[in-house]
Amino acid sequence: MQTSLPSLDVLKTFVVVAQRLNFTHAAQTLHLTQGAVSRQILGLEQHLGYPLFSRRARGLTLTPQGAMLLAPVQQALGQLGEALARIGAQPGTLRIKCPTCAMRWVLPRIIRLQNERPEMHIELTASVSHGLDFSAEHFDAAVVFGQPQGKKLAVHHLFDEILTPVCTPSYLPDLARPPTPADLAEKTLLHPTRDRRDWLLWLKAAGLETLPSGKAQHFDTLDLAMSAALQGFGIAIGDLCLLEEDIQAQRVVTPFPLSVVSGAAYYLVYPERAMMPATLATLVNFLGEEAAQSRARLQNGLSASANSL
């Protein structure tokens, strides 16, 4: 019988693959190549002496042995992560995970909260992933993009994603008329996703079925696309709430009055518990109020824009 334990990294890979049942999706979550994930799982199966997954044309399924192993491995990793974080953390520290695309909105507010409440200790961790498994990652709360996944979560809606093109004030030429999507011809479009879905959604609402320009750059996050736009390299598609401070400071402008609701949203989530820590309650109330103010300002701005047409 095999008595030596597999490495923690390999066990974590097993859990993620078991959750995704897809090597490609698991590799994206783990920031590894698909081949590396596949090799780790194969090595783990050889180490244990039995298969954990059935490979089929339509994807993966857990074998009976894999299904039996999943729950105790998840529990063990979660307990170990909690213990390490608890031992190494400053007492009373709140650990918050946030996707990089939301950091423009979240970070200034977390800093302001800490300035107002210096007794609070908040650790904000940025991640390119949009989800969080509280059983495997030791965070007290998270800002997530898209519908929150998981059971027994407290979910607070922050704001919807509302998209419109943004660029530096000097990027589009001064015109004697309001700009139209046709003015984007020969301009570089900055895409915050590889599939171009945000730009295509806005262009469809503007009456165009194809991209008006063949010039494009693609990024993995909104933050990278916005950094390129701020340097004058092109025009990006951005979320109005996330870019509120950049727009107010005139670092970027919204040259078109049209904006579209993507159907996605940002949420603050945390595990349900019988007694919420006071510091977490403070954070939840603070970000909830800030989000309500952002939504109100955005709605007022959209109403003013519509009235000016």
Side-chain angles (χ1 to χ4, degrees), residues 160-225:
D160 297 323
E161 182 181 54
I162 302 178
L163 301 172
T164 196
V166 294
C167 60
T168 56
S170 61
Y171 186 73
L172 289 178
D174 291 331
L175 301 171
R177 54 169 175 79
T180 69
D183 295 316
L184 296 173
E186 302 305 317
K187 296 297 181 182
T188 300
L189 304 185
L190 305 175
H191 297 274
T193 59
R194 297 282 172 176
D195 59 10
R196 305 181 176 188
R197 63 179 182 271
D198 291 344
W199 262 112
L200 291 172
L201 178 66
W202 184 86
L203 289 167
K204 184 176 182 179
L208 297 180
E209 295 296 330
T210 59
L211 297 172
S213 171
K215 297 179 181 179
Q217 291 294 329
H218 301 82
F219 302 89
D220 292 323
T221 66
L222 171 66
D223 196 54
L224 291 174

Side-chain angles (χ1 to χ4, degrees), residues 267-296:
Y267 300 87
L268 176 65
V269 301
Y270 53 90
E272 291 181 342
R273 61 194 78 189
M275 184 71 70
M276 185 191 300
T279 52
L280 179 57
T282 298
L283 175 75
V284 171
N285 292 334
F286 177 79
L287 291 183
E289 292 172 0
E290 288 290 315
Q293 293 172 17
S294 288
R295 294 195 303 267

Side-chain angles (χ1 to χ4, degrees), residues 68-187:
M68 291 175 62
L69 187 63
L70 178 58
V73 170
Q74 283 180 308
Q75 184 178 13
L77 290 175
Q79 290 176 342
L80 179 58
E82 289 180 5
L84 291 172
R86 192 164 52 245
I87 293 170
Q90 184 174 359
T93 297
L94 276 177
R95 298 163 197 83
I96 313 300
K97 186 178 181 181
C98 178
T100 55
C101 59
M103 287 292 281
R104 287 177 178 273
W105 188 88
V106 176
L107 180 58
R109 288 164 174 82
I110 291 296
I111 292 175
R112 190 162 74 248
L113 176 59
Q114 287 187 300
N115 289 337
E116 295 174 0
R117 299 288 298 273
E119 76 280 5
M120 290 185 66
H121 302 282
I122 303 174
E123 291 181 359
L124 184 62
T125 300
S127 172
V128 295
S129 64
H130 293 296
L132 173 65
D133 181 0
F134 284 102
S135 66
E137 301 177 73
H138 188 72
F139 290 96
D140 297 293
V143 173
V144 298
F145 175 71
Q147 189 62 39
Q149 301 294 321
K151 299 178 180 179
K152 297 183 178 180
L153 287 181
V155 178
H156 298 263
H157 172 260
L158 295 176
F159 46 82
D160 297 323
E161 182 181 54
I162 302 178
L163 301 172
T164 196
V166 294
C167 60
T168 56
S170 61
Y171 186 73
L172 289 178
D174 291 331
L175 301 171
R177 54 169 175 79
T180 69
D183 295 316
L184 296 173
E186 302 305 317
K187 296 297 181 182

